[in-house]
Amino acid sequence: MMVAAERVLVPEAPSIPGLTFRRLRLPDDLQPLVALFNLANEEDDVEDRSDVAGLAEWFSHPSGFDPLRDCLIAHVGEKVIGYGKVHWVDDTDGGRDYASWGVVHPDWRRRGLGRAILRANHRRLRQIAATHDLAPDVARRFETWAAESQVGALALLESEGMTVARSFFEMLRPNLDDVAEFALPEGIEVRPMRPEHYREVWAADVEAFSDHWGGMDGGEQMFQRFFSGPSFEPDIWRVAWDGDQVAGSVSNVVMREFNEATGARRGLLAGVSVRRPWRGRGLARALVAQSLIVLRERGMAEAVLGVDADNPTGAIGVYEANGFVVHQRERSYRKPF
């Protein structure tokens, strides 16, 4: 029996009999949300999959949002049919991004529920932004994202005045056969990652990604999220050292949820980073190749990674040299406050 939670008034709510909105309840909502996310992604040809353990871990380290105040549950009776969530993050360009995300059950789409959730999310983001003491010259904007296969979501976002700010690729290596090995630059070595290295590896990764487009969260909760939980396997990460300095790293993940749901054996290169002084020397190419080999040794048969389509560091060429091809496309949308 669902226990009552804080009700939320959504003025734009469509006329769906029994539809109500409330805040998130943990852990009660974990299983219904996992079912909703996975069903929606399957319908939209999006390959992400969730499970209860992974979602619980994600909510346990919130960054830029309060799970019990900044998530919205749409339900009819006891059935969860929609979800919205907001957070904010500082951008590498000095601005602040107020991000929104939403999901609607396929059986309740095209009735206005997605639009109602998006507008409720934007209303909540305005409330949050009103509490932020920012200088007048700090740019603030709404942000969200969607895969190009989510045609309904794209149409909704564009009808609400959001425009494409950036494109991203998911790249796939469809097999892990015949992985070419590339030599590390002279003086660089890969060492096993130990707990005493975690902070230094994290700091180097944050520094490297500060050159990239978009929001960059280097806070404590994000650190805890990356370096804990059921998907964290430090023995399959690849970290390159130049003496006592981290030069670059690849955070590798066995895609447990996706593999269990689909029967695939897929690994993820969740983050490929090289600090500026070590770029242009073949380090990323060598670390990616080593990552493919270690994923193969772990029993994986394919690998994916995400990349900014306009990446300024030549990453796409690095990945193509390692046998990756563009597999899916995503868009980041923005709209000024």
Side-chain angles (χ1 to χ4, degrees):
M1 186 71 178
M2 183 175 290
V3 179
E6 180 189 351
R7 295 281 291 271
V8 179
L9 176 64
V10 177
E12 303 89 351
S15 297
I16 296 175
L19 174 65
T20 54
F21 297 85
R22 60 173 174 81
R23 294 300 179 200
L24 180 71
R25 295 192 69 252
L26 294 174
D28 304 55
D29 287 328
L30 291 173
Q31 184 60 59
L33 287 178
V34 164
L36 174 65
F37 297 166
N38 290 343
L39 180 64
N41 283 342
E42 184 175 2
E43 176 74 13
D44 294 334
D45 196 27
V46 174
E47 295 184 339
D48 290 341
R49 294 296 183 271
S50 302
D51 66 11
V52 168
L55 187 60
E57 178 69 18
W58 192 83
F59 277 129
S60 71
H61 300 298
S63 183
F65 79 108
D66 178 344
L68 301 183
R69 299 183 64 195
D70 298 330
C71 296
L72 183 67
I73 303 293
H75 60 101
V76 173
E78 296 188 3
K79 186 174 184 62
V80 174
I81 66 169
Y83 170 77
K85 179 255 176 185
V86 301
H87 75 273
W88 63 269
V89 63
D90 287 325
D91 196 283
T92 57
D93 70 359
R96 182 163 291 181
D97 306 330
Y98 292 90
S100 165
W101 187 64
V103 183
V104 175
H105 190 290
D107 292 345
W108 274 271
R109 292 181 177 176
R110 295 172 181 82
R111 304 189 192 186
L113 182 54
R115 191 177 305 276
I117 291 173
L118 178 61
R119 291 182 178 179
N121 282 347
H122 284 184
R123 189 161 47 250
R124 176 60 186 149
L125 286 168
R126 288 191 182 95
Q127 293 171 350
I128 293 169
T131 70
H132 292 173
D133 185 15
L134 299 179
D137 61 341
V138 174
R140 299 185 299 176
R141 53 263 173 147
F142 292 118
E143 183 176 65
T144 192
W145 54 94
E148 290 192 354
S149 59
Q150 295 174 289
V151 292
L154 303 184
L156 168 62
L157 296 173
E158 291 168 11
S159 73
E160 287 288 311
M162 303 198 75
T163 58
V164 177
R166 202 81 163 187
S167 294
F168 294 84
F169 298 147
E170 180 183 271
M171 301 187 74
L172 170 72
R173 197 183 203 277
N175 64 72
L176 298 183
D177 304 328
D178 302 320
V179 176
E181 296 189 51
F182 298 102
L184 290 165
E186 185 176 354
I188 305 295
E189 63 176 349
V190 172
R191 304 173 193 162
M193 190 164 71
R194 310 295 187 198
E196 60 268 25
H197 301 153
Y198 294 173
R199 293 285 179 181
E200 193 168 357
V201 172
W202 173 246
D205 192 65
V206 170
E207 177 189 311
F209 276 102
S210 67
D211 291 336
H212 290 58
W213 183 89
M216 181 65 214
D217 186 350
E220 179 63 21
Q221 290 297 329
M222 190 64 75
F223 167 79
Q224 294 295 336
R225 191 186 299 169
F226 267 85
F227 289 82
S228 66
S231 296
F232 177 55
E233 298 183 71
D235 58 312
I236 63 173
W237 285 41
R238 287 297 172 263
V239 181
W241 295 80
D242 186 351
D244 61 356
Q245 295 193 69
V246 175
S249 66
V250 183
S251 50
N252 296 308
V253 176
V254 171
M255 295 179 63
R256 176 176 47 83
E257 302 99 324
F258 178 81
N259 294 342
E260 290 174 359
T262 66
R265 291 182 291 133
R266 179 177 288 186
L268 168 68
L269 283 66
V272 180
S273 66
V274 174
R275 294 170 66 195
R276 188 177 294 179
W278 289 273
R279 292 176 186 166
R281 297 165 57 186
L283 177 55
R285 185 178 61 177
L287 289 177
V288 169
Q290 290 195 20
S291 296
L292 295 175
I293 292 169
V294 76
L295 287 170
R296 184 178 64 195
E297 292 171 349
R298 187 55 62 90
M300 299 299 100
E302 58 188 29
V304 294
L305 52 78
V307 62
D308 181 346
D310 294 314
N311 180 281
T313 63
I316 293 175
V318 168
Y319 304 145
E320 290 175 336
N322 273 284
F324 285 88
V325 294
V326 174
H327 178 54
Q328 292 187 326
R329 291 172 168 82
E330 299 177 350
R331 302 175 188 175
S332 178
Y333 283 84
R334 285 182 172 178
K335 182 171 75 171
F337 255 56

PDB file of all heavy atoms in Angstrom, residues 74-102:
ATOM      1  N   ALA A  74       4.538  11.289 -10.877  1.00  0.00           N
ATOM      2  CA  ALA A  74       3.167  11.311 -11.388  1.00  0.00           C
ATOM      3  C   ALA A  74       2.611   9.894 -11.284  1.00  0.00           C
ATOM      4  O   ALA A  74       3.267   8.935 -11.710  1.00  0.00           O
ATOM      5  CB  ALA A  74       3.143  11.778 -12.842  1.00  0.00           C
ATOM      6  N   HIS A  75       1.431   9.762 -10.698  1.00  0.00           N
ATOM      7  CA  HIS A  75       0.886   8.411 -10.565  1.00  0.00           C
ATOM      8  C   HIS A  75      -0.631   8.431 -10.705  1.00  0.00           C
ATOM      9  O   HIS A  75      -1.305   9.440 -10.467  1.00  0.00           O
ATOM     10  CB  HIS A  75       1.304   7.770  -9.238  1.00  0.00           C
ATOM     11  CG  HIS A  75       0.857   8.503  -8.016  1.00  0.00           C
ATOM     12  ND1 HIS A  75      -0.228   8.119  -7.266  1.00  0.00           N
ATOM     13  CD2 HIS A  75       1.353   9.602  -7.399  1.00  0.00           C
ATOM     14  CE1 HIS A  75      -0.376   8.943  -6.242  1.00  0.00           C
ATOM     15  NE2 HIS A  75       0.572   9.864  -6.309  1.00  0.00           N
ATOM     16  N   VAL A  76      -1.158   7.299 -11.115  1.00  0.00           N
ATOM     17  CA  VAL A  76      -2.594   7.040 -11.167  1.00  0.00           C
ATOM     18  C   VAL A  76      -2.847   5.862 -10.242  1.00  0.00           C
ATOM     19  O   VAL A  76      -2.355   4.758 -10.498  1.00  0.00           O
ATOM     20  CB  VAL A  76      -3.062   6.720 -12.597  1.00  0.00           C
ATOM     21  CG1 VAL A  76      -4.524   6.288 -12.590  1.00  0.00           C
ATOM     22  CG2 VAL A  76      -2.872   7.926 -13.509  1.00  0.00           C
ATOM     23  N   GLY A  77      -3.552   6.113  -9.161  1.00  0.00           N
ATOM     24  CA  GLY A  77      -3.644   5.090  -8.129  1.00  0.00           C
ATOM     25  C   GLY A  77      -2.255   4.830  -7.576  1.00  0.00           C
ATOM     26  O   GLY A  77      -1.559   5.752  -7.167  1.00  0.00           O
ATOM     27  N   GLU A  78      -1.845   3.580  -7.599  1.00  0.00           N
ATOM     28  CA  GLU A  78      -0.510   3.235  -7.109  1.00  0.00           C
ATOM     29  C   GLU A  78       0.492   3.057  -8.243  1.00  0.00           C
ATOM     30  O   GLU A  78       1.653   2.718  -7.987  1.00  0.00           O
ATOM     31  CB  GLU A  78      -0.580   1.960  -6.258  1.00  0.00           C
ATOM     32  CG  GLU A  78      -1.421   2.136  -4.997  1.00  0.00           C
ATOM     33  CD  GLU A  78      -1.334   0.946  -4.074  1.00  0.00           C
ATOM     34  OE1 GLU A  78      -0.576   0.012  -4.384  1.00  0.00           O
ATOM     35  OE2 GLU A  78      -2.014   0.952  -3.028  1.00  0.00           O
ATOM     36  N   LYS A  79       0.101   3.301  -9.474  1.00  0.00           N
ATOM     37  CA  LYS A  79       0.987   3.092 -10.612  1.00  0.00           C
ATOM     38  C   LYS A  79       1.738   4.375 -10.955  1.00  0.00           C
ATOM     39  O   LYS A  79       1.121   5.410 -11.248  1.00  0.00           O
ATOM     40  CB  LYS A  79       0.201   2.629 -11.836  1.00  0.00           C
ATOM     41  CG  LYS A  79       1.087   2.259 -13.020  1.00  0.00           C
ATOM     42  CD  LYS A  79       0.272   1.681 -14.145  1.00  0.00           C
ATOM     43  CE  LYS A  79       1.173   1.224 -15.300  1.00  0.00           C
ATOM     44  NZ  LYS A  79       2.117   0.158 -14.894  1.00  0.00           N
ATOM     45  N   VAL A  80       3.056   4.308 -10.913  1.00  0.00           N
ATOM     46  CA  VAL A  80       3.894   5.444 -11.295  1.00  0.00           C
ATOM     47  C   VAL A  80       3.929   5.522 -12.810  1.00  0.00           C
ATOM     48  O   VAL A  80       4.338   4.573 -13.490  1.00  0.00           O
ATOM     49  CB  VAL A  80       5.317   5.297 -10.729  1.00  0.00           C
ATOM     50  CG1 VAL A  80       6.224   6.412 -11.248  1.00  0.00           C
ATOM     51  CG2 VAL A  80       5.284   5.321  -9.201  1.00  0.00           C
ATOM     52  N   ILE A  81       3.486   6.674 -13.367  1.00  0.00           N
ATOM     53  CA  ILE A  81       3.429   6.816 -14.817  1.00  0.00           C
ATOM     54  C   ILE A  81       4.304   7.952 -15.334  1.00  0.00           C
ATOM     55  O   ILE A  81       4.405   8.146 -16.543  1.00  0.00           O
ATOM     56  CB  ILE A  81       1.981   7.023 -15.295  1.00  0.00           C
ATOM     57  CG1 ILE A  81       1.409   8.360 -14.802  1.00  0.00           C
ATOM     58  CG2 ILE A  81       1.100   5.852 -14.849  1.00  0.00           C
ATOM     59  CD1 ILE A  81       0.079   8.725 -15.475  1.00  0.00           C
ATOM     60  N   GLY A  82       4.931   8.700 -14.451  1.00  0.00           N
ATOM     61  CA  GLY A  82       5.794   9.788 -14.889  1.00  0.00           C
ATOM     62  C   GLY A  82       6.737  10.218 -13.791  1.00  0.00           C
ATOM     63  O   GLY A  82       6.478   9.981 -12.599  1.00  0.00           O
ATOM     64  N   TYR A  83       7.819  10.842 -14.188  1.00  0.00           N
ATOM     65  CA  TYR A  83       8.862  11.252 -13.236  1.00  0.00           C
ATOM     66  C   TYR A  83       9.540  12.499 -13.775  1.00  0.00           C
ATOM     67  O   TYR A  83       9.797  12.620 -14.976  1.00  0.00           O
ATOM     68  CB  TYR A  83       9.881  10.119 -13.098  1.00  0.00           C
ATOM     69  CG  TYR A  83      11.149  10.455 -12.343  1.00  0.00           C
ATOM     70  CD1 TYR A  83      11.160  10.536 -10.954  1.00  0.00           C
ATOM     71  CD2 TYR A  83      12.351  10.665 -13.024  1.00  0.00           C
ATOM     72  CE1 TYR A  83      12.341  10.811 -10.267  1.00  0.00           C
ATOM     73  CE2 TYR A  83      13.529  10.940 -12.340  1.00  0.00           C
ATOM     74  CZ  TYR A  83      13.509  11.012 -10.956  1.00  0.00           C
ATOM     75  OH  TYR A  83      14.673  11.290 -10.264  1.00  0.00           O
ATOM     76  N   GLY A  84       9.830  13.434 -12.889  1.00  0.00           N
ATOM     77  CA  GLY A  84      10.624  14.606 -13.211  1.00  0.00           C
ATOM     78  C   GLY A  84      11.692  14.816 -12.167  1.00  0.00           C
ATOM     79  O   GLY A  84      11.491  14.472 -10.990  1.00  0.00           O
ATOM     80  N   LYS A  85      12.801  15.392 -12.577  1.00  0.00           N
ATOM     81  CA  LYS A  85      13.893  15.628 -11.639  1.00  0.00           C
ATOM     82  C   LYS A  85      14.687  16.831 -12.105  1.00  0.00           C
ATOM     83  O   LYS A  85      14.885  17.046 -13.311  1.00  0.00           O
ATOM     84  CB  LYS A  85      14.796  14.395 -11.564  1.00  0.00           C
ATOM     85  CG  LYS A  85      15.991  14.520 -10.635  1.00  0.00           C
ATOM     86  CD  LYS A  85      17.262  14.699 -11.420  1.00  0.00           C
ATOM     87  CE  LYS A  85      18.443  14.923 -10.487  1.00  0.00           C
ATOM     88  NZ  LYS A  85      19.692  15.230 -11.241  1.00  0.00           N
ATOM     89  N   VAL A  86      15.150  17.661 -11.164  1.00  0.00           N
ATOM     90  CA  VAL A  86      15.943  18.840 -11.500  1.00  0.00           C
ATOM     91  C   VAL A  86      17.222  18.851 -10.675  1.00  0.00           C
ATOM     92  O   VAL A  86      17.299  18.262  -9.591  1.00  0.00           O
ATOM     93  CB  VAL A  86      15.155  20.148 -11.250  1.00  0.00           C
ATOM     94  CG1 VAL A  86      13.876  20.160 -12.070  1.00  0.00           C
ATOM     95  CG2 VAL A  86      14.841  20.354  -9.767  1.00  0.00           C
ATOM     96  N   HIS A  87      18.224  19.522 -11.217  1.00  0.00           N
ATOM     97  CA  HIS A  87      19.440  19.799 -10.446  1.00  0.00           C
ATOM     98  C   HIS A  87      20.143  20.983 -11.098  1.00  0.00           C
ATOM     99  O   HIS A  87      19.790  21.405 -12.204  1.00  0.00           O
ATOM    100  CB  HIS A  87      20.364  18.578 -10.397  1.00  0.00           C
ATOM    101  CG  HIS A  87      21.119  18.318 -11.667  1.00  0.00           C
ATOM    102  ND1 HIS A  87      20.604  17.572 -12.705  1.00  0.00           N
ATOM    103  CD2 HIS A  87      22.357  18.718 -12.084  1.00  0.00           C
ATOM    104  CE1 HIS A  87      21.480  17.510 -13.697  1.00  0.00           C
ATOM    105  NE2 HIS A  87      22.552  18.203 -13.348  1.00  0.00           N
ATOM    106  N   TRP A  88      21.117  21.516 -10.414  1.00  0.00           N
ATOM    107  CA  TRP A  88      21.902  22.610 -10.980  1.00  0.00           C
ATOM    108  C   TRP A  88      23.379  22.273 -10.881  1.00  0.00           C
ATOM    109  O   TRP A  88      23.801  21.492 -10.027  1.00  0.00           O
ATOM    110  CB  TRP A  88      21.601  23.942 -10.282  1.00  0.00           C
ATOM    111  CG  TRP A  88      21.954  23.984  -8.818  1.00  0.00           C
ATOM    112  CD1 TRP A  88      21.148  23.679  -7.767  1.00  0.00           C
ATOM    113  CD2 TRP A  88      23.225  24.344  -8.263  1.00  0.00           C
ATOM    114  NE1 TRP A  88      21.822  23.815  -6.578  1.00  0.00           N
ATOM    115  CE2 TRP A  88      23.101  24.231  -6.856  1.00  0.00           C
ATOM    116  CE3 TRP A  88      24.436  24.760  -8.798  1.00  0.00           C
ATOM    117  CZ2 TRP A  88      24.163  24.499  -5.977  1.00  0.00           C
ATOM    118  CZ3 TRP A  88      25.503  25.032  -7.932  1.00  0.00           C
ATOM    119  CH2 TRP A  88      25.346  24.911  -6.548  1.00  0.00           C
ATOM    120  N   VAL A  89      24.158  22.865 -11.778  1.00  0.00           N
ATOM    121  CA  VAL A  89      25.596  22.638 -11.786  1.00  0.00           C
ATOM    122  C   VAL A  89      26.274  23.855 -12.399  1.00  0.00           C
ATOM    123  O   VAL A  89      25.734  24.496 -13.300  1.00  0.00           O
ATOM    124  CB  VAL A  89      25.945  21.354 -12.583  1.00  0.00           C
ATOM    125  CG1 VAL A  89      25.550  21.482 -14.048  1.00  0.00           C
ATOM    126  CG2 VAL A  89      27.419  20.994 -12.453  1.00  0.00           C
ATOM    127  N   ASP A  90      27.448  24.188 -11.897  1.00  0.00           N
ATOM    128  CA  ASP A  90      28.226  25.272 -12.488  1.00  0.00           C
ATOM    129  C   ASP A  90      28.874  24.792 -13.781  1.00  0.00           C
ATOM    130  O   ASP A  90      29.366  23.661 -13.873  1.00  0.00           O
ATOM    131  CB  ASP A  90      29.287  25.759 -11.512  1.00  0.00           C
ATOM    132  CG  ASP A  90      28.685  26.560 -10.371  1.00  0.00           C
ATOM    133  OD1 ASP A  90      27.699  27.278 -10.606  1.00  0.00           O
ATOM    134  OD2 ASP A  90      29.185  26.449  -9.232  1.00  0.00           O
ATOM    135  N   ASP A  91      28.886  25.672 -14.760  1.00  0.00           N
ATOM    136  CA  ASP A  91      29.381  25.344 -16.081  1.00  0.00           C
ATOM    137  C   ASP A  91      30.834  25.768 -16.220  1.00  0.00           C
ATOM    138  O   ASP A  91      31.292  26.713 -15.561  1.00  0.00           O
ATOM    139  CB  ASP A  91      28.520  26.056 -17.139  1.00  0.00           C
ATOM    140  CG  ASP A  91      28.701  25.490 -18.523  1.00  0.00           C
ATOM    141  OD1 ASP A  91      29.737  25.788 -19.162  1.00  0.00           O
ATOM    142  OD2 ASP A  91      27.814  24.746 -18.972  1.00  0.00           O
ATOM    143  N   THR A  92      31.547  25.093 -17.112  1.00  0.00           N
ATOM    144  CA  THR A  92      32.954  25.447 -17.323  1.00  0.00           C
ATOM    145  C   THR A  92      33.123  26.810 -17.977  1.00  0.00           C
ATOM    146  O   THR A  92      34.234  27.359 -17.979  1.00  0.00           O
ATOM    147  CB  THR A  92      33.652  24.383 -18.191  1.00  0.00           C
ATOM    148  OG1 THR A  92      32.947  24.250 -19.423  1.00  0.00           O
ATOM    149  CG2 THR A  92      33.680  23.041 -17.486  1.00  0.00           C
ATOM    150  N   ASP A  93      32.031  27.383 -18.527  1.00  0.00           N
ATOM    151  CA  ASP A  93      32.135  28.724 -19.107  1.00  0.00           C
ATOM    152  C   ASP A  93      31.849  29.823 -18.090  1.00  0.00           C
ATOM    153  O   ASP A  93      31.780  31.004 -18.439  1.00  0.00           O
ATOM    154  CB  ASP A  93      31.211  28.865 -20.318  1.00  0.00           C
ATOM    155  CG  ASP A  93      29.727  28.871 -19.939  1.00  0.00           C
ATOM    156  OD1 ASP A  93      29.387  28.751 -18.741  1.00  0.00           O
ATOM    157  OD2 ASP A  93      28.893  28.974 -20.862  1.00  0.00           O
ATOM    158  N   GLY A  94      31.669  29.449 -16.824  1.00  0.00           N
ATOM    159  CA  GLY A  94      31.403  30.433 -15.784  1.00  0.00           C
ATOM    160  C   GLY A  94      29.932  30.646 -15.501  1.00  0.00           C
ATOM    161  O   GLY A  94      29.581  31.346 -14.539  1.00  0.00           O
ATOM    162  N   GLY A  95      29.050  30.064 -16.307  1.00  0.00           N
ATOM    163  CA  GLY A  95      27.618  30.171 -16.074  1.00  0.00           C
ATOM    164  C   GLY A  95      27.114  29.090 -15.128  1.00  0.00           C
ATOM    165  O   GLY A  95      27.888  28.326 -14.554  1.00  0.00           O
ATOM    166  N   ARG A  96      25.799  29.042 -14.968  1.00  0.00           N
ATOM    167  CA  ARG A  96      25.174  28.012 -14.142  1.00  0.00           C
ATOM    168  C   ARG A  96      24.034  27.377 -14.929  1.00  0.00           C
ATOM    169  O   ARG A  96      23.194  28.078 -15.491  1.00  0.00           O
ATOM    170  CB  ARG A  96      24.674  28.576 -12.816  1.00  0.00           C
ATOM    171  CG  ARG A  96      24.061  27.520 -11.894  1.00  0.00           C
ATOM    172  CD  ARG A  96      23.965  28.010 -10.460  1.00  0.00           C
ATOM    173  NE  ARG A  96      25.295  28.149  -9.850  1.00  0.00           N
ATOM    174  CZ  ARG A  96      25.492  28.549  -8.587  1.00  0.00           C
ATOM    175  NH1 ARG A  96      24.458  28.892  -7.828  1.00  0.00           N
ATOM    176  NH2 ARG A  96      26.715  28.630  -8.104  1.00  0.00           N
ATOM    177  N   ASP A  97      24.040  26.039 -14.966  1.00  0.00           N
ATOM    178  CA  ASP A  97      23.056  25.280 -15.718  1.00  0.00           C
ATOM    179  C   ASP A  97      22.005  24.725 -14.762  1.00  0.00           C
ATOM    180  O   ASP A  97      22.345  24.061 -13.777  1.00  0.00           O
ATOM    181  CB  ASP A  97      23.726  24.129 -16.466  1.00  0.00           C
ATOM    182  CG  ASP A  97      24.884  24.594 -17.342  1.00  0.00           C
ATOM    183  OD1 ASP A  97      24.824  25.742 -17.828  1.00  0.00           O
ATOM    184  OD2 ASP A  97      25.837  23.807 -17.529  1.00  0.00           O
ATOM    185  N   TYR A  98      20.745  24.997 -15.060  1.00  0.00           N
ATOM    186  CA  TYR A  98      19.619  24.489 -14.272  1.00  0.00           C
ATOM    187  C   TYR A  98      18.945  23.397 -15.102  1.00  0.00           C
ATOM    188  O   TYR A  98      18.220  23.681 -16.057  1.00  0.00           O
ATOM    189  CB  TYR A  98      18.668  25.633 -13.926  1.00  0.00           C
ATOM    190  CG  TYR A  98      19.279  26.614 -12.953  1.00  0.00           C
ATOM    191  CD1 TYR A  98      20.013  27.714 -13.406  1.00  0.00           C
ATOM    192  CD2 TYR A  98      19.160  26.425 -11.577  1.00  0.00           C
ATOM    193  CE1 TYR A  98      20.596  28.601 -12.509  1.00  0.00           C
ATOM    194  CE2 TYR A  98      19.742  27.309 -10.677  1.00  0.00           C
ATOM    195  CZ  TYR A  98      20.460  28.387 -11.145  1.00  0.00           C
ATOM    196  OH  TYR A  98      21.042  29.268 -10.254  1.00  0.00           O
ATOM    197  N   ALA A  99      19.228  22.161 -14.751  1.00  0.00           N
ATOM    198  CA  ALA A  99      18.913  21.031 -15.613  1.00  0.00           C
ATOM    199  C   ALA A  99      17.627  20.335 -15.188  1.00  0.00           C
ATOM    200  O   ALA A  99      17.308  20.240 -14.000  1.00  0.00           O
ATOM    201  CB  ALA A  99      20.065  20.029 -15.611  1.00  0.00           C
ATOM    202  N   SER A 100      16.930  19.844 -16.193  1.00  0.00           N
ATOM    203  CA  SER A 100      15.641  19.188 -16.007  1.00  0.00           C
ATOM    204  C   SER A 100      15.643  17.878 -16.773  1.00  0.00           C
ATOM    205  O   SER A 100      16.215  17.783 -17.864  1.00  0.00           O
ATOM    206  CB  SER A 100      14.527  20.105 -16.526  1.00  0.00           C
ATOM    207  OG  SER A 100      13.317  19.399 -16.694  1.00  0.00           O
ATOM    208  N   TRP A 101      14.962  16.873 -16.211  1.00  0.00           N
ATOM    209  CA  TRP A 101      14.851  15.578 -16.893  1.00  0.00           C
ATOM    210  C   TRP A 101      13.493  14.989 -16.568  1.00  0.00           C
ATOM    211  O   TRP A 101      12.986  15.163 -15.452  1.00  0.00           O
ATOM    212  CB  TRP A 101      15.963  14.648 -16.435  1.00  0.00           C
ATOM    213  CG  TRP A 101      16.037  13.362 -17.203  1.00  0.00           C
ATOM    214  CD1 TRP A 101      16.310  13.214 -18.524  1.00  0.00           C
ATOM    215  CD2 TRP A 101      15.835  12.042 -16.675  1.00  0.00           C
ATOM    216  NE1 TRP A 101      16.287  11.876 -18.862  1.00  0.00           N
ATOM    217  CE2 TRP A 101      16.006  11.137 -17.752  1.00  0.00           C
ATOM    218  CE3 TRP A 101      15.542  11.547 -15.410  1.00  0.00           C
ATOM    219  CZ2 TRP A 101      15.881   9.764 -17.596  1.00  0.00           C
ATOM    220  CZ3 TRP A 101      15.423  10.177 -15.248  1.00  0.00           C
ATOM    221  CH2 TRP A 101      15.591   9.294 -16.330  1.00  0.00           C
ATOM    222  N   GLY A 102      12.904  14.295 -17.515  1.00  0.00           N
ATOM    223  CA  GLY A 102      11.591  13.716 -17.273  1.00  0.00           C
ATOM    224  C   GLY A 102      11.371  12.452 -18.074  1.00  0.00           C
ATOM    225  O   GLY A 102      11.992  12.235 -19.126  1.00  0.00           O
TER     226      GLY A 102
END
